[in-house]
Amino acid sequence: MNLVIGLTGGIGSGKTAATNYFEQLGITVVDADLVSRLVVEPGMEALKEIASHFGEDILDADGALNRTALRKIVFDKPEERKWLESLLHPLIAQEIHRQLEASQSPYTILVSPILFESGQNLYCQKSLVIDAPENLQVSRTSVRDSTDEAGVKAIMKVQLSREDRCAKADDVILNDGDLESLHIKIDSIHAKYLKLAEKNV
Ligand code: ATP
């Protein structure tokens, strides 16, 4: 497998803005969030198991997983949560590995909002945090999702603190300017990763 860089950051820090640009530079991005949705899409074995365990009510009218209903069920039932995690975690890990293996770019980015919390950083040789001051996390997310400040802050509270996340990272990009300045910072780290990738093979 080629060099894998884990990319993470708090809500509204700019993970998507960053990975969009890495893709423009020709780098394959594997998205752990997308993978966790993929494994429970209609037709997938895991969705059938979930429906037979929790009942058909867990599905929408169109047969898709009602994630909100599932989240409510497992919220205060550690046994059910455990059952669900033991079903999904190996499938998610397997699919992430499959996508990482399939990557043809000089190095590959694995983006995950819970890179460190989930242990997905263990699939990566290096980690990169996209960090932003809290006021920018709030204002950017509010504009994007039309959520209010309290909603964004509630999510920030359950995520790793900026300090803890940055302390775990090999590299940190402070996304406190415009998009152009983010791209310039990424250009320089991209050059560094390309050099590292050359040594890796
Ligand atoms: P989430 O974890 O909530 O999915 P994220 O970390 O992926 O968020 P983005 O979606 O990339 O964050 O950024 C949040 C919003 O801020 C988006 O609308 C994005 O276009 C905008 N944004 C990100 N970085 C910048 C920047 N440097 N300048 C201007 N806007 C930015």
Side-chain angles (χ1 to χ4, degrees), residues 39-82:
V39 299
V40 290
E41 272 185 359
M44 301 300 266
E45 194 52 42
L47 186 57
K48 290 180 199 146
E49 288 193 36
I50 289 171
S52 75
H53 184 86
F54 292 106
E56 297 285 322
D57 285 353
I58 207 72
L59 304 177
D60 289 338
D62 56 2
L65 181 63
N66 184 337
R67 303 176 74 86
T68 316
L70 184 61
R71 223 175 291 129
K72 268 188 198 150
I73 292 178
V74 301
F75 179 72
D76 54 359
K77 295 195 186 77
E79 282 306 307
E80 297 291 24
R81 177 183 290 269
K82 233 178 172 176

Side-chain angles (χ1 to χ4, degrees), residues 21-22 25 173 180 182-192:
Y21 188 62
F22 276 108
L25 295 172
I173 284 183
E180 203 191 328
L182 173 66
H183 293 172
I184 291 168
K185 289 177 180 174
I186 291 176
D187 282 336
S188 117
I189 210 149
H190 173 63
K192 174 172 146 178

